[in-house]
Amino acid sequence: MILDGTPDYFDLSLIETFIAVSGVNDLEEGCYYYAPNAQELRQIRFKNFRQELHFLCLGQDLGRDARAVVFHTADLQKAVARLGDRAYRYLHMDAGHLGQRLNLAAIYLGLGVSGIGGFFDDQVNEVLGIPVDEAVVYITTLGRPRTRL
């Protein structure tokens, strides 16, 4: 599956990506930052965050049971400086495009996937270790799909 690396409908430089990992082969449990220029994951927190993720995602089991939870964040001041007073709306559209791509890639790979739109903002920032002026704009959960009876 090949995705356009330079789409013209959103600004990738405004979105940061973090991933909380719980039970992924060949990755230590913890929180990672995705460094886009180096195209690598950098572990920034060493801990299993399952219980915190359950709480952060408003008690949704998807947050706790997912093997990986992807967080898209944005520096609001930087976004407003670049995009003006509609920056918050544009950031959510951009995060939605990224979430859509994650969904399509996950389905292609046979993974379970779901977007999470409801979460506790300040507590997510605390788990990720990011400042309060960086806003979480979208969360995607990834894992094994549930088998149907």
Side-chain angles (χ1 to χ4, degrees):
M1 173 180 245
I2 298 175
L3 296 175
D4 181 3
T6 56
D8 60 0
Y9 47 84
F10 62 94
D11 186 347
L12 285 175
S13 70
L14 293 175
I15 304 286
E16 301 287 346
T17 302
F18 296 85
I19 305 167
V21 172
S22 303
V24 173
N25 294 341
D26 301 322
L27 275 180
E28 187 176 345
E29 291 183 339
C31 188
Y32 293 80
Y33 168 73
Y34 174 68
N37 291 336
Q39 293 189 359
E40 67 184 18
L41 291 177
R42 297 178 181 160
Q43 191 166 13
I44 57 172
R45 312 274 318 258
F46 299 85
K47 181 181 175 185
N48 181 316
F49 289 100
R50 280 190 194 271
Q51 292 310 314
E52 288 93 338
L53 293 169
H54 186 246
F55 172 75
L56 297 175
C57 295
L58 306 179
Q60 296 177 71
D61 291 344
L62 287 170
R64 180 196 62 225
D65 298 342
R67 300 298 177 137
V69 180
V70 179
F71 300 89
H72 287 110
T73 69
D75 180 323
L76 295 177
Q77 291 178 348
K78 182 179 173 184
V80 169
R82 184 168 305 154
L83 301 171
D85 61 356
R86 298 185 66 82
Y88 198 66
R89 291 180 187 202
Y90 295 145
L91 289 171
H92 280 89
M93 287 190 303
D94 293 350
H97 286 123
L98 288 171
Q100 178 186 34
R101 287 171 160 224
L102 276 173
N103 276 275
L104 291 170
I107 291 167
Y108 178 80
L109 295 170
L111 298 173
V113 61
S114 179
I116 302 284
F119 45 85
F120 292 113
D121 301 67
D122 293 339
Q123 290 82 357
V124 172
N125 285 37
E126 192 175 304
V127 165
L128 298 178
I130 59 175
V132 294
D133 58 342
E134 188 156 336
V136 177
V137 290
Y138 202 73
I139 297 175
T140 302
T141 59
L142 298 163
R144 293 190 179 126
R146 289 209 168 140
T147 56
R148 298 180 191 234
L149 300 174

